[in-house]
Amino acid sequence: MAEINKMAAEIADVQPGIQVPGFSLEKYKYLWSDFMNGLWSENPVLKLVLGLCSTLAITTSTQNGLGMGCAGLFVLTGSNGLISALRKVIPGKVRIPAFIVIIAGFVTLTDLTMAAYTPVLYESLGIFIPLIVANCIILARAEAFAARNPVDRSIMDGLGMGLGYLLTLTVLGTIREIFGNGTVWGASIFGENYIPMIVFILPAGSFILLGLLTGFFNQFTGSKKMTSTEVGCH
Amino acid sequence: MSELVLLFMSTLVVNNYVLTKILGLCPFIGVTKKVENSVGMGMATMFVITVASLMAWFIDLYVLSPLHITYLRTVIFILIIAALVQLSEMIMEKTTPALYQSLGIYLPLITTNCAVLAVPLLIMNKGFDFWETLVYAIGAPAGFYLALMIISTIRENLAFAKIPRVFQGAAISLITTGILALAFMGFSGLIRE
């Protein structure tokens, strides 16, 4: 995978003077592999173990998980694209504060939009919307990917990572809602006599459930160890 | 006075930042393989949270609120934190090289610790006065430090256990944390918020 990424970077970073063919199958392959990378083989939550705070704190229902996932997807794609576009302008020494300000701008945009159009969801996600700024996934992708790659690849990486985040949150939210509340999207499924397993809604249950999910995910994808230096965060 | 003590205990154990509020998990899972690492991370985080929260409180009182630009809180607070982290790194490097050797590598990671941004934001949401802010800004990172110490001590012992291959690393730490969080639920109801 590393070799493919390197080759792709070389192909995409050609000199501006050289004519790039309008359609190149190779390039689309790389874009696709960037996309699938975040979605599956380097899933930000289950594989890289990043952005856990929002993942665990708000996934008490499918709706919350989906809402938070969409917010994360938007911020990640937007900031990846913009940071990649500005990567040659931002001086290396102040890049972290610069990235953070760009991310904070997107987060404030999301925050105000959600407050205006989805007040109920906004209320239940609470402080975790502004906290997207401090979400490891976003800064890690900015630092590890968007700062080194062209705009189209960075956007694809943002979309893949964001969708991986969204899917994980939705799955986690659905499992917790089914067992902790006996409902799916608010509709009861076990009938009147079901006694909810409260522990799934509590913080303790979320830790244990994510631990088990991470284990199962490792089983399916093979446990290639990601070390902390590789992801540029924590 | 007793209210401040209660507030401190409440942020330290009852509403522990890691185990009850689920904040600051990235360093909690990321750097707690050894006790000495979590001492370094805990100390550095404590310093940044306390100073950043007080600065945020003053800036909010004298700049953001009078100008009616409180919607910029997220941007301004994260800038304060990033600047403070950068500044303390540079000062520490020049004045106390020994301390820098032990804490320096943790400092850049603090910017993306969501507990650091959450403390000033929650202080603003709750509308605390100066003394409450001070107590909250010390109690919250102290709780974070406590949780780091507990989990790193456990993980040092876990290193000798036979854990199934797929559960090694983050997975077993998360499950352990879950059990710890269950234990910390014993504190709930101790103090009414």
Side-chain angles (χ1 to χ4, degrees), chain B residues 73-98:
Chain B
R73 269 177 188 162
T74 315
V75 182
I76 301 288
F77 288 0
I78 195 79
L79 265 183
I80 294 175
I81 293 164
L84 187 68
V85 167
Q86 200 99 23
L87 199 70
S88 52
E89 198 183 346
M90 290 192 305
I91 292 175
M92 216 183 253
E93 198 179 359
K94 285 271 183 285
T95 55
T96 50

mmCIF file with all atom_site columns, all heavy atoms in Angstrom, chain B residues 73-98:
data_model
loop_
_atom_site.group_PDB
_atom_site.id
_atom_site.type_symbol
_atom_site.label_atom_id
_atom_site.label_alt_id
_atom_site.label_comp_id
_atom_site.label_asym_id
_atom_site.label_entity_id
_atom_site.label_seq_id
_atom_site.pdbx_PDB_ins_code
_atom_site.Cartn_x
_atom_site.Cartn_y
_atom_site.Cartn_z
_atom_site.occupancy
_atom_site.B_iso_or_equiv
_atom_site.pdbx_formal_charge
_atom_site.auth_seq_id
_atom_site.auth_comp_id
_atom_site.auth_asym_id
_atom_site.auth_atom_id
_atom_site.pdbx_PDB_model_num
ATOM 1   N N   . ARG B 1 73 ? -16.118 31.530 20.013 1.00 0.00 ? 73 ARG B N   1
ATOM 2   C CA  . ARG B 1 73 ? -15.448 30.884 21.142 1.00 0.00 ? 73 ARG B CA  1
ATOM 3   C C   . ARG B 1 73 ? -14.580 29.711 20.726 1.00 0.00 ? 73 ARG B C   1
ATOM 4   O O   . ARG B 1 73 ? -13.421 29.622 21.109 1.00 0.00 ? 73 ARG B O   1
ATOM 5   C CB  . ARG B 1 73 ? -16.482 30.392 22.153 1.00 0.00 ? 73 ARG B CB  1
ATOM 6   C CG  . ARG B 1 73 ? -16.801 31.408 23.211 1.00 0.00 ? 73 ARG B CG  1
ATOM 7   C CD  . ARG B 1 73 ? -17.875 30.877 24.120 1.00 0.00 ? 73 ARG B CD  1
ATOM 8   N NE  . ARG B 1 73 ? -18.319 31.926 25.025 1.00 0.00 ? 73 ARG B NE  1
ATOM 9   C CZ  . ARG B 1 73 ? -19.457 31.867 25.694 1.00 0.00 ? 73 ARG B CZ  1
ATOM 10  N NH1 . ARG B 1 73 ? -20.251 30.820 25.540 1.00 0.00 ? 73 ARG B NH1 1
ATOM 11  N NH2 . ARG B 1 73 ? -19.793 32.831 26.510 1.00 0.00 ? 73 ARG B NH2 1
ATOM 12  N N   . THR B 1 74 ? -15.157 28.793 19.909 1.00 0.00 ? 74 THR B N   1
ATOM 13  C CA  . THR B 1 74 ? -14.397 27.595 19.530 1.00 0.00 ? 74 THR B CA  1
ATOM 14  C C   . THR B 1 74 ? -13.071 27.977 18.884 1.00 0.00 ? 74 THR B C   1
ATOM 15  O O   . THR B 1 74 ? -12.019 27.459 19.248 1.00 0.00 ? 74 THR B O   1
ATOM 16  C CB  . THR B 1 74 ? -15.219 26.749 18.552 1.00 0.00 ? 74 THR B CB  1
ATOM 17  O OG1 . THR B 1 74 ? -16.548 26.678 19.045 1.00 0.00 ? 74 THR B OG1 1
ATOM 18  C CG2 . THR B 1 74 ? -14.660 25.371 18.431 1.00 0.00 ? 74 THR B CG2 1
ATOM 19  N N   . VAL B 1 75 ? -13.139 28.910 17.925 1.00 0.00 ? 75 VAL B N   1
ATOM 20  C CA  . VAL B 1 75 ? -11.928 29.293 17.192 1.00 0.00 ? 75 VAL B CA  1
ATOM 21  C C   . VAL B 1 75 ? -10.917 29.939 18.141 1.00 0.00 ? 75 VAL B C   1
ATOM 22  O O   . VAL B 1 75 ? -9.732  29.594 18.144 1.00 0.00 ? 75 VAL B O   1
ATOM 23  C CB  . VAL B 1 75 ? -12.291 30.262 16.047 1.00 0.00 ? 75 VAL B CB  1
ATOM 24  C CG1 . VAL B 1 75 ? -11.054 30.624 15.265 1.00 0.00 ? 75 VAL B CG1 1
ATOM 25  C CG2 . VAL B 1 75 ? -13.324 29.637 15.145 1.00 0.00 ? 75 VAL B CG2 1
ATOM 26  N N   . ILE B 1 76 ? -11.402 30.894 18.953 1.00 0.00 ? 76 ILE B N   1
ATOM 27  C CA  . ILE B 1 76 ? -10.494 31.634 19.838 1.00 0.00 ? 76 ILE B CA  1
ATOM 28  C C   . ILE B 1 76 ? -9.874  30.692 20.868 1.00 0.00 ? 76 ILE B C   1
ATOM 29  O O   . ILE B 1 76 ? -8.670  30.725 21.127 1.00 0.00 ? 76 ILE B O   1
ATOM 30  C CB  . ILE B 1 76 ? -11.267 32.762 20.551 1.00 0.00 ? 76 ILE B CB  1
ATOM 31  C CG1 . ILE B 1 76 ? -11.875 33.716 19.542 1.00 0.00 ? 76 ILE B CG1 1
ATOM 32  C CG2 . ILE B 1 76 ? -10.333 33.510 21.511 1.00 0.00 ? 76 ILE B CG2 1
ATOM 33  C CD1 . ILE B 1 76 ? -10.907 34.615 18.837 1.00 0.00 ? 76 ILE B CD1 1
ATOM 34  N N   . PHE B 1 77 ? -10.694 29.813 21.461 1.00 0.00 ? 77 PHE B N   1
ATOM 35  C CA  . PHE B 1 77 ? -10.181 28.939 22.522 1.00 0.00 ? 77 PHE B CA  1
ATOM 36  C C   . PHE B 1 77 ? -9.125  27.975 21.978 1.00 0.00 ? 77 PHE B C   1
ATOM 37  O O   . PHE B 1 77 ? -8.102  27.748 22.606 1.00 0.00 ? 77 PHE B O   1
ATOM 38  C CB  . PHE B 1 77 ? -11.316 28.144 23.176 1.00 0.00 ? 77 PHE B CB  1
ATOM 39  C CG  . PHE B 1 77 ? -12.212 28.985 24.050 1.00 0.00 ? 77 PHE B CG  1
ATOM 40  C CD1 . PHE B 1 77 ? -11.975 30.345 24.200 1.00 0.00 ? 77 PHE B CD1 1
ATOM 41  C CD2 . PHE B 1 77 ? -13.282 28.427 24.724 1.00 0.00 ? 77 PHE B CD2 1
ATOM 42  C CE1 . PHE B 1 77 ? -12.787 31.127 24.989 1.00 0.00 ? 77 PHE B CE1 1
ATOM 43  C CE2 . PHE B 1 77 ? -14.103 29.196 25.526 1.00 0.00 ? 77 PHE B CE2 1
ATOM 44  C CZ  . PHE B 1 77 ? -13.863 30.549 25.647 1.00 0.00 ? 77 PHE B CZ  1
ATOM 45  N N   . ILE B 1 78 ? -9.380  27.430 20.797 1.00 0.00 ? 78 ILE B N   1
ATOM 46  C CA  . ILE B 1 78 ? -8.392  26.477 20.255 1.00 0.00 ? 78 ILE B CA  1
ATOM 47  C C   . ILE B 1 78 ? -7.114  27.216 19.877 1.00 0.00 ? 78 ILE B C   1
ATOM 48  O O   . ILE B 1 78 ? -6.013  26.686 20.026 1.00 0.00 ? 78 ILE B O   1
ATOM 49  C CB  . ILE B 1 78 ? -8.973  25.662 19.077 1.00 0.00 ? 78 ILE B CB  1
ATOM 50  C CG1 . ILE B 1 78 ? -8.095  24.432 18.779 1.00 0.00 ? 78 ILE B CG1 1
ATOM 51  C CG2 . ILE B 1 78 ? -9.071  26.470 17.821 1.00 0.00 ? 78 ILE B CG2 1
ATOM 52  C CD1 . ILE B 1 78 ? -8.289  23.290 19.690 1.00 0.00 ? 78 ILE B CD1 1
ATOM 53  N N   . LEU B 1 79 ? -7.261  28.484 19.475 1.00 0.00 ? 79 LEU B N   1
ATOM 54  C CA  . LEU B 1 79 ? -6.060  29.283 19.194 1.00 0.00 ? 79 LEU B CA  1
ATOM 55  C C   . LEU B 1 79 ? -5.273  29.539 20.472 1.00 0.00 ? 79 LEU B C   1
ATOM 56  O O   . LEU B 1 79 ? -4.043  29.453 20.481 1.00 0.00 ? 79 LEU B O   1
ATOM 57  C CB  . LEU B 1 79 ? -6.461  30.621 18.573 1.00 0.00 ? 79 LEU B CB  1
ATOM 58  C CG  . LEU B 1 79 ? -6.438  30.670 17.062 1.00 0.00 ? 79 LEU B CG  1
ATOM 59  C CD1 . LEU B 1 79 ? -6.796  32.068 16.587 1.00 0.00 ? 79 LEU B CD1 1
ATOM 60  C CD2 . LEU B 1 79 ? -5.053  30.304 16.551 1.00 0.00 ? 79 LEU B CD2 1
ATOM 61  N N   . ILE B 1 80 ? -5.990  29.863 21.572 1.00 0.00 ? 80 ILE B N   1
ATOM 62  C CA  . ILE B 1 80 ? -5.314  30.062 22.861 1.00 0.00 ? 80 ILE B CA  1
ATOM 63  C C   . ILE B 1 80 ? -4.530  28.815 23.224 1.00 0.00 ? 80 ILE B C   1
ATOM 64  O O   . ILE B 1 80 ? -3.355  28.870 23.593 1.00 0.00 ? 80 ILE B O   1
ATOM 65  C CB  . ILE B 1 80 ? -6.344  30.365 23.977 1.00 0.00 ? 80 ILE B CB  1
ATOM 66  C CG1 . ILE B 1 80 ? -7.039  31.701 23.733 1.00 0.00 ? 80 ILE B CG1 1
ATOM 67  C CG2 . ILE B 1 80 ? -5.662  30.374 25.336 1.00 0.00 ? 80 ILE B CG2 1
ATOM 68  C CD1 . ILE B 1 80 ? -8.137  31.985 24.725 1.00 0.00 ? 80 ILE B CD1 1
ATOM 69  N N   . ILE B 1 81 ? -5.205  27.660 23.071 1.00 0.00 ? 81 ILE B N   1
ATOM 70  C CA  . ILE B 1 81 ? -4.551  26.405 23.456 1.00 0.00 ? 81 ILE B CA  1
ATOM 71  C C   . ILE B 1 81 ? -3.331  26.142 22.580 1.00 0.00 ? 81 ILE B C   1
ATOM 72  O O   . ILE B 1 81 ? -2.247  25.849 23.087 1.00 0.00 ? 81 ILE B O   1
ATOM 73  C CB  . ILE B 1 81 ? -5.561  25.242 23.371 1.00 0.00 ? 81 ILE B CB  1
ATOM 74  C CG1 . ILE B 1 81 ? -6.643  25.399 24.436 1.00 0.00 ? 81 ILE B CG1 1
ATOM 75  C CG2 . ILE B 1 81 ? -4.861  23.907 23.547 1.00 0.00 ? 81 ILE B CG2 1
ATOM 76  C CD1 . ILE B 1 81 ? -7.854  24.554 24.223 1.00 0.00 ? 81 ILE B CD1 1
ATOM 77  N N   . ALA B 1 82 ? -3.488  26.297 21.263 1.00 0.00 ? 82 ALA B N   1
ATOM 78  C CA  . ALA B 1 82 ? -2.366  26.019 20.368 1.00 0.00 ? 82 ALA B CA  1
ATOM 79  C C   . ALA B 1 82 ? -1.206  26.962 20.643 1.00 0.00 ? 82 ALA B C   1
ATOM 80  O O   . ALA B 1 82 ? -0.038  26.553 20.692 1.00 0.00 ? 82 ALA B O   1
ATOM 81  C CB  . ALA B 1 82 ? -2.818  26.144 18.912 1.00 0.00 ? 82 ALA B CB  1
ATOM 82  N N   . ALA B 1 83 ? -1.531  28.250 20.881 1.00 0.00 ? 83 ALA B N   1
ATOM 83  C CA  . ALA B 1 83 ? -0.476  29.222 21.151 1.00 0.00 ? 83 ALA B CA  1
ATOM 84  C C   . ALA B 1 83 ? 0.211   28.899 22.471 1.00 0.00 ? 83 ALA B C   1
ATOM 85  O O   . ALA B 1 83 ? 1.436   28.955 22.581 1.00 0.00 ? 83 ALA B O   1
ATOM 86  C CB  . ALA B 1 83 ? -1.067  30.629 21.201 1.00 0.00 ? 83 ALA B CB  1
ATOM 87  N N   . LEU B 1 84 ? -0.589  28.566 23.480 1.00 0.00 ? 84 LEU B N   1
ATOM 88  C CA  . LEU B 1 84 ? -0.029  28.269 24.799 1.00 0.00 ? 84 LEU B CA  1
ATOM 89  C C   . LEU B 1 84 ? 0.888   27.056 24.741 1.00 0.00 ? 84 LEU B C   1
ATOM 90  O O   . LEU B 1 84 ? 1.967   27.041 25.338 1.00 0.00 ? 84 LEU B O   1
ATOM 91  C CB  . LEU B 1 84 ? -1.161  28.019 25.785 1.00 0.00 ? 84 LEU B CB  1
ATOM 92  C CG  . LEU B 1 84 ? -0.754  27.851 27.238 1.00 0.00 ? 84 LEU B CG  1
ATOM 93  C CD1 . LEU B 1 84 ? -0.232  29.157 27.773 1.00 0.00 ? 84 LEU B CD1 1
ATOM 94  C CD2 . LEU B 1 84 ? -1.924  27.377 28.062 1.00 0.00 ? 84 LEU B CD2 1
ATOM 95  N N   . VAL B 1 85 ? 0.447   26.045 23.993 1.00 0.00 ? 85 VAL B N   1
ATOM 96  C CA  . VAL B 1 85 ? 1.261   24.836 23.878 1.00 0.00 ? 85 VAL B CA  1
ATOM 97  C C   . VAL B 1 85 ? 2.595   25.159 23.213 1.00 0.00 ? 85 VAL B C   1
ATOM 98  O O   . VAL B 1 85 ? 3.661   24.790 23.707 1.00 0.00 ? 85 VAL B O   1
ATOM 99  C CB  . VAL B 1 85 ? 0.499   23.753 23.088 1.00 0.00 ? 85 VAL B CB  1
ATOM 100 C CG1 . VAL B 1 85 ? 1.425   22.635 22.683 1.00 0.00 ? 85 VAL B CG1 1
ATOM 101 C CG2 . VAL B 1 85 ? -0.639  23.203 23.918 1.00 0.00 ? 85 VAL B CG2 1
ATOM 102 N N   . GLN B 1 86 ? 2.512   25.932 22.109 1.00 0.00 ? 86 GLN B N   1
ATOM 103 C CA  . GLN B 1 86 ? 3.735   26.303 21.388 1.00 0.00 ? 86 GLN B CA  1
ATOM 104 C C   . GLN B 1 86 ? 4.664   27.121 22.278 1.00 0.00 ? 86 GLN B C   1
ATOM 105 O O   . GLN B 1 86 ? 5.867   26.877 22.350 1.00 0.00 ? 86 GLN B O   1
ATOM 106 C CB  . GLN B 1 86 ? 3.341   27.129 20.159 1.00 0.00 ? 86 GLN B CB  1
ATOM 107 C CG  . GLN B 1 86 ? 4.393   27.177 19.083 1.00 0.00 ? 86 GLN B CG  1
ATOM 108 C CD  . GLN B 1 86 ? 4.092   26.178 17.983 1.00 0.00 ? 86 GLN B CD  1
ATOM 109 O OE1 . GLN B 1 86 ? 2.945   25.796 17.812 1.00 0.00 ? 86 GLN B OE1 1
ATOM 110 N NE2 . GLN B 1 86 ? 5.088   25.743 17.266 1.00 0.00 ? 86 GLN B NE2 1
ATOM 111 N N   . LEU B 1 87 ? 4.057   28.070 23.011 1.00 0.00 ? 87 LEU B N   1
ATOM 112 C CA  . LEU B 1 87 ? 4.827   28.968 23.871 1.00 0.00 ? 87 LEU B CA  1
ATOM 113 C C   . LEU B 1 87 ? 5.498   28.195 25.005 1.00 0.00 ? 87 LEU B C   1
ATOM 114 O O   . LEU B 1 87 ? 6.697   28.351 25.262 1.00 0.00 ? 87 LEU B O   1
ATOM 115 C CB  . LEU B 1 87 ? 3.883   30.029 24.441 1.00 0.00 ? 87 LEU B CB  1
ATOM 116 C CG  . LEU B 1 87 ? 4.530   31.294 24.989 1.00 0.00 ? 87 LEU B CG  1
ATOM 117 C CD1 . LEU B 1 87 ? 5.104   32.101 23.847 1.00 0.00 ? 87 LEU B CD1 1
ATOM 118 C CD2 . LEU B 1 87 ? 3.494   32.116 25.738 1.00 0.00 ? 87 LEU B CD2 1
ATOM 119 N N   . SER B 1 88 ? 4.715   27.365 25.684 1.00 0.00 ? 88 SER B N   1
ATOM 120 C CA  . SER B 1 88 ? 5.296   26.656 26.832 1.00 0.00 ? 88 SER B CA  1
ATOM 121 C C   . SER B 1 88 ? 6.376   25.684 26.368 1.00 0.00 ? 88 SER B C   1
ATOM 122 O O   . SER B 1 88 ? 7.354   25.450 27.080 1.00 0.00 ? 88 SER B O   1
ATOM 123 C CB  . SER B 1 88 ? 4.218   25.937 27.630 1.00 0.00 ? 88 SER B CB  1
ATOM 124 O OG  . SER B 1 88 ? 3.450   25.141 26.801 1.00 0.00 ? 88 SER B OG  1
ATOM 125 N N   . GLU B 1 89 ? 6.225   25.173 25.154 1.00 0.00 ? 89 GLU B N   1
ATOM 126 C CA  . GLU B 1 89 ? 7.272   24.306 24.621 1.00 0.00 ? 89 GLU B CA  1
ATOM 127 C C   . GLU B 1 89 ? 8.573   25.080 24.447 1.00 0.00 ? 89 GLU B C   1
ATOM 128 O O   . GLU B 1 89 ? 9.641   24.619 24.841 1.00 0.00 ? 89 GLU B O   1
ATOM 129 C CB  . GLU B 1 89 ? 6.806   23.736 23.283 1.00 0.00 ? 89 GLU B CB  1
ATOM 130 C CG  . GLU B 1 89 ? 7.597   22.526 22.851 1.00 0.00 ? 89 GLU B CG  1
ATOM 131 C CD  . GLU B 1 89 ? 7.165   22.026 21.492 1.00 0.00 ? 89 GLU B CD  1
ATOM 132 O OE1 . GLU B 1 89 ? 6.106   22.430 21.004 1.00 0.00 ? 89 GLU B OE1 1
ATOM 133 O OE2 . GLU B 1 89 ? 7.926   21.226 20.919 1.00 0.00 ? 89 GLU B OE2 1
ATOM 134 N N   . MET B 1 90 ? 8.457   26.300 23.895 1.00 0.00 ? 90 MET B N   1
ATOM 135 C CA  . MET B 1 90 ? 9.661   27.091 23.647 1.00 0.00 ? 90 MET B CA  1
ATOM 136 C C   . MET B 1 90 ? 10.290  27.556 24.955 1.00 0.00 ? 90 MET B C   1
ATOM 137 O O   . MET B 1 90 ? 11.514  27.483 25.139 1.00 0.00 ? 90 MET B O   1
ATOM 138 C CB  . MET B 1 90 ? 9.315   28.297 22.766 1.00 0.00 ? 90 MET B CB  1
ATOM 139 C CG  . MET B 1 90 ? 8.973   27.881 21.351 1.00 0.00 ? 90 MET B CG  1
ATOM 140 S SD  . MET B 1 90 ? 8.860   29.182 20.136 1.00 0.00 ? 90 MET B SD  1
ATOM 141 C CE  . MET B 1 90 ? 7.709   30.313 20.762 1.00 0.00 ? 90 MET B CE  1
ATOM 142 N N   . ILE B 1 91 ? 9.449   28.024 25.906 1.00 0.00 ? 91 ILE B N   1
ATOM 143 C CA  . ILE B 1 91 ? 9.987   28.497 27.183 1.00 0.00 ? 91 ILE B CA  1
ATOM 144 C C   . ILE B 1 91 ? 10.668  27.349 27.925 1.00 0.00 ? 91 ILE B C   1
ATOM 145 O O   . ILE B 1 91 ? 11.775  27.484 28.449 1.00 0.00 ? 91 ILE B O   1
ATOM 146 C CB  . ILE B 1 91 ? 8.849   29.094 28.049 1.00 0.00 ? 91 ILE B CB  1
ATOM 147 C CG1 . ILE B 1 91 ? 8.349   30.387 27.408 1.00 0.00 ? 91 ILE B CG1 1
ATOM 148 C CG2 . ILE B 1 91 ? 9.341   29.364 29.465 1.00 0.00 ? 91 ILE B CG2 1
ATOM 149 C CD1 . ILE B 1 91 ? 7.154   30.979 28.104 1.00 0.00 ? 91 ILE B CD1 1
ATOM 150 N N   . MET B 1 92 ? 9.987   26.208 27.923 1.00 0.00 ? 92 MET B N   1
ATOM 151 C CA  . MET B 1 92 ? 10.519  25.058 28.647 1.00 0.00 ? 92 MET B CA  1
ATOM 152 C C   . MET B 1 92 ? 11.857  24.609 28.060 1.00 0.00 ? 92 MET B C   1
ATOM 153 O O   . MET B 1 92 ? 12.782  24.265 28.787 1.00 0.00 ? 92 MET B O   1
ATOM 154 C CB  . MET B 1 92 ? 9.508   23.918 28.545 1.00 0.00 ? 92 MET B CB  1
ATOM 155 C CG  . MET B 1 92 ? 9.402   23.072 29.780 1.00 0.00 ? 92 MET B CG  1
ATOM 156 S SD  . MET B 1 92 ? 8.253   21.751 29.455 1.00 0.00 ? 92 MET B SD  1
ATOM 157 C CE  . MET B 1 92 ? 6.882   22.275 30.410 1.00 0.00 ? 92 MET B CE  1
ATOM 158 N N   . GLU B 1 93 ? 11.957  24.666 26.735 1.00 0.00 ? 93 GLU B N   1
ATOM 159 C CA  . GLU B 1 93 ? 13.175  24.229 26.079 1.00 0.00 ? 93 GLU B CA  1
ATOM 160 C C   . GLU B 1 93 ? 14.360  25.105 26.487 1.00 0.00 ? 93 GLU B C   1
ATOM 161 O O   . GLU B 1 93 ? 15.473  24.624 26.688 1.00 0.00 ? 93 GLU B O   1
ATOM 162 C CB  . GLU B 1 93 ? 12.982  24.277 24.565 1.00 0.00 ? 93 GLU B CB  1
ATOM 163 C CG  . GLU B 1 93 ? 14.002  23.459 23.807 1.00 0.00 ? 93 GLU B CG  1
ATOM 164 C CD  . GLU B 1 93 ? 13.774  23.504 22.308 1.00 0.00 ? 93 GLU B CD  1
ATOM 165 O OE1 . GLU B 1 93 ? 12.820  24.157 21.876 1.00 0.00 ? 93 GLU B OE1 1
ATOM 166 O OE2 . GLU B 1 93 ? 14.568  22.887 21.597 1.00 0.00 ? 93 GLU B OE2 1
ATOM 167 N N   . LYS B 1 94 ? 14.114  26.443 26.613 1.00 0.00 ? 94 LYS B N   1
ATOM 168 C CA  . LYS B 1 94 ? 15.190  27.375 26.939 1.00 0.00 ? 94 LYS B CA  1
ATOM 169 C C   . LYS B 1 94 ? 15.539  27.347 28.427 1.00 0.00 ? 94 LYS B C   1
ATOM 170 O O   . LYS B 1 94 ? 16.714  27.357 28.798 1.00 0.00 ? 94 LYS B O   1
ATOM 171 C CB  . LYS B 1 94 ? 14.777  28.798 26.546 1.00 0.00 ? 94 LYS B CB  1
ATOM 172 C CG  . LYS B 1 94 ? 14.825  29.043 25.052 1.00 0.00 ? 94 LYS B CG  1
ATOM 173 C CD  . LYS B 1 94 ? 16.194  29.526 24.604 1.00 0.00 ? 94 LYS B CD  1
ATOM 174 C CE  . LYS B 1 94 ? 16.201  29.836 23.126 1.00 0.00 ? 94 LYS B CE  1
ATOM 175 N NZ  . LYS B 1 94 ? 16.218  28.642 22.276 1.00 0.00 ? 94 LYS B NZ  1
ATOM 176 N N   . THR B 1 95 ? 14.505  27.336 29.298 1.00 0.00 ? 95 THR B N   1
ATOM 177 C CA  . THR B 1 95 ? 14.776  27.548 30.724 1.00 0.00 ? 95 THR B CA  1
ATOM 178 C C   . THR B 1 95 ? 15.030  26.257 31.493 1.00 0.00 ? 95 THR B C   1
ATOM 179 O O   . THR B 1 95 ? 15.948  26.195 32.302 1.00 0.00 ? 95 THR B O   1
ATOM 180 C CB  . THR B 1 95 ? 13.608  28.303 31.380 1.00 0.00 ? 95 THR B CB  1
ATOM 181 O OG1 . THR B 1 95 ? 12.407  27.564 31.129 1.00 0.00 ? 95 THR B OG1 1
ATOM 182 C CG2 . THR B 1 95 ? 13.492  29.701 30.836 1.00 0.00 ? 95 THR B CG2 1
ATOM 183 N N   . THR B 1 96 ? 14.222  25.236 31.264 1.00 0.00 ? 96 THR B N   1
ATOM 184 C CA  . THR B 1 96 ? 14.402  24.003 32.042 1.00 0.00 ? 96 THR B CA  1
ATOM 185 C C   . THR B 1 96 ? 14.555  22.816 31.092 1.00 0.00 ? 96 THR B C   1
ATOM 186 O O   . THR B 1 96 ? 13.588  22.088 30.834 1.00 0.00 ? 96 THR B O   1
ATOM 187 C CB  . THR B 1 96 ? 13.186  23.751 32.963 1.00 0.00 ? 96 THR B CB  1
ATOM 188 O OG1 . THR B 1 96 ? 12.004  23.855 32.162 1.00 0.00 ? 96 THR B OG1 1
ATOM 189 C CG2 . THR B 1 96 ? 13.126  24.724 34.096 1.00 0.00 ? 96 THR B CG2 1
ATOM 190 N N   . PRO B 1 97 ? 15.748  22.635 30.562 1.00 0.00 ? 97 PRO B N   1
ATOM 191 C CA  . PRO B 1 97 ? 15.956  21.549 29.586 1.00 0.00 ? 97 PRO B CA  1
ATOM 192 C C   . PRO B 1 97 ? 15.615  20.171 30.151 1.00 0.00 ? 97 PRO B C   1
ATOM 193 O O   . PRO B 1 97 ? 15.104  19.316 29.417 1.00 0.00 ? 97 PRO B O   1
ATOM 194 C CB  . PRO B 1 97 ? 17.451  21.641 29.276 1.00 0.00 ? 97 PRO B CB  1
ATOM 195 C CG  . PRO B 1 97 ? 17.873  22.976 29.742 1.00 0.00 ? 97 PRO B CG  1
ATOM 196 C CD  . PRO B 1 97 ? 16.967  23.377 30.840 1.00 0.00 ? 97 PRO B CD  1
ATOM 197 N N   . ALA B 1 98 ? 15.853  19.985 31.464 1.00 0.00 ? 98 ALA B N   1
ATOM 198 C CA  . ALA B 1 98 ? 15.578  18.674 32.047 1.00 0.00 ? 98 ALA B CA  1
ATOM 199 C C   . ALA B 1 98 ? 14.090  18.355 31.989 1.00 0.00 ? 98 ALA B C   1
ATOM 200 O O   . ALA B 1 98 ? 13.675  17.260 31.599 1.00 0.00 ? 98 ALA B O   1
ATOM 201 C CB  . ALA B 1 98 ? 16.066  18.630 33.487 1.00 0.00 ? 98 ALA B CB  1
#
